[in-house]
Amino acid sequence: MSASVAELLLVAGIAGLVFLLAAVTQAVSGFGSAMVAVPLLAIAVGPATAVVAATLVSLPLTAGAWRRERAHVDGRLARVLTLAGVLGMPLGLFALTRLDDRSLTALVGVGLLVVVALMWRDVTLPAGRGSLWASGVTSGLLLTSTGMNGPPLVLSLQGAGLAPRRFRATLQAVFCVQDLVAVAAFALTDHLDATTWAAAAGGVAGLPVGWAIGNRIFGTLSPERFRAVVLAGLVVTAAVALGNAFLRS
């Protein structure tokens, strides 16, 4: 049954608030928009719709950030990670189509928990070409299955030793192109329905305020506090995702 106009407006309103918070996270850490948005939005519309909506919203957010900070992008790293990500997307799309809501939600939570543990222990990936390709492929798989391609890219770029602004800018470039390809794949597989578009529209409306707030915060952070903010955000979203999976059992 199709959603009513009132239901779509409610979805848009919830998504607006969720993505305002997500945009703050993205501006501060360079990633995290989907890792905040997907677990929270999934409570209202289900994980599959949340994944697709988060990717739709992420596209203008990352495109704008890439345009503003294009001078800081590491072109070589961005090219390798983007191409590798595209190669991993078909497997993620298969998982999105085949897994039920509970399994998808649990996958989100467990994946975030693993990332928190790795980053807490200061684990970084070596900066070699093989590691970059592995991170990129994994990010593409995660994007089309959970909407959260950030973790492997973050670990890989931390291993490359990029400064915070260069780190953030390079991530936006990779995210933007991966999002564009993923949206095309979602369209081809009929994952774009009225509820998804309503959530995406609300999310886009919440982006500008969230990014402005987050950008102000970013300018005040030292590298040490920068890392602490990243870890704290991951802990919160992992807890939300696992709690949501438990409630669905």
Side-chain angles (χ1 to χ4, degrees):
M1 182 181 295
S2 300
S4 68
V5 173
E7 289 171 333
L8 294 177
L9 289 174
L10 178 60
V11 167
I14 293 171
L17 294 175
V18 166
F19 281 101
L20 186 152
L21 179 60
V24 171
T25 305
Q26 184 91 359
V28 170
S29 66
F31 73 103
S33 175
M35 285 188 284
V36 171
V38 171
L40 295 178
L41 191 59
I43 297 172
V45 299
T49 298
V51 166
V52 179
T55 307
L56 283 168
V57 174
S58 177
L59 183 54
L61 174 64
T62 55
W66 180 15
R67 181 184 60 80
R68 287 189 298 271
E69 303 195 3
R70 58 187 177 276
H72 301 283
V73 174
D74 186 308
R76 182 187 69 85
L77 292 176
R79 284 190 295 272
V80 172
L81 291 171
T82 298
L83 178 58
V86 172
L87 296 178
M89 288 182 190
L91 286 176
L93 194 61
F94 179 81
L96 182 72
T97 303
R98 296 291 182 176
L99 294 179
D100 59 24
D101 283 359
R102 183 187 175 195
S103 298
L104 274 176
T105 306
L107 179 62
V108 169
V110 171
L112 287 176
L113 199 59
V114 170
V115 171
V116 170
L118 291 174
M119 295 183 71
W120 187 267
R121 299 291 297 175
D122 287 325
V123 174
T124 57
L125 299 178
R129 190 172 181 84
S131 176
L132 287 175
W133 278 91
S135 297
V137 169
T138 304
S139 73
L141 187 158
L142 289 175
L143 175 59
T144 50
S145 59
T146 69
M148 298 184 294
N149 52 340
L153 299 177
V154 169
L155 293 174
S156 186
L157 291 179
Q158 282 189 333
L162 299 182
R165 187 166 293 277
R166 195 164 179 81
F167 173 93
R168 185 173 75 161
T170 303
L171 276 175
Q172 305 319 300
V174 178
F175 285 160
C176 181
V177 181
Q178 286 194 0
D179 287 344
L180 184 62
V181 176
V183 167
F186 292 144
L188 290 173
T189 52
D190 295 324
H191 280 89
L192 302 180
D193 58 17
T195 302
T196 303
W197 283 113
V204 170
L207 291 180
V209 175
W211 184 269
I213 295 170
N215 208 39
R216 282 182 173 272
I217 297 172
F218 177 78
T220 68
L221 293 178
S222 65
E224 293 77 16
R225 185 168 292 183
F226 174 80
R227 180 177 180 275
V229 168
V230 170
L231 285 174
L234 290 176
V235 169
V236 171
T237 51
V240 171
L242 289 173
N244 192 17
F246 178 77
L247 290 173
R248 289 176 181 273
S249 63

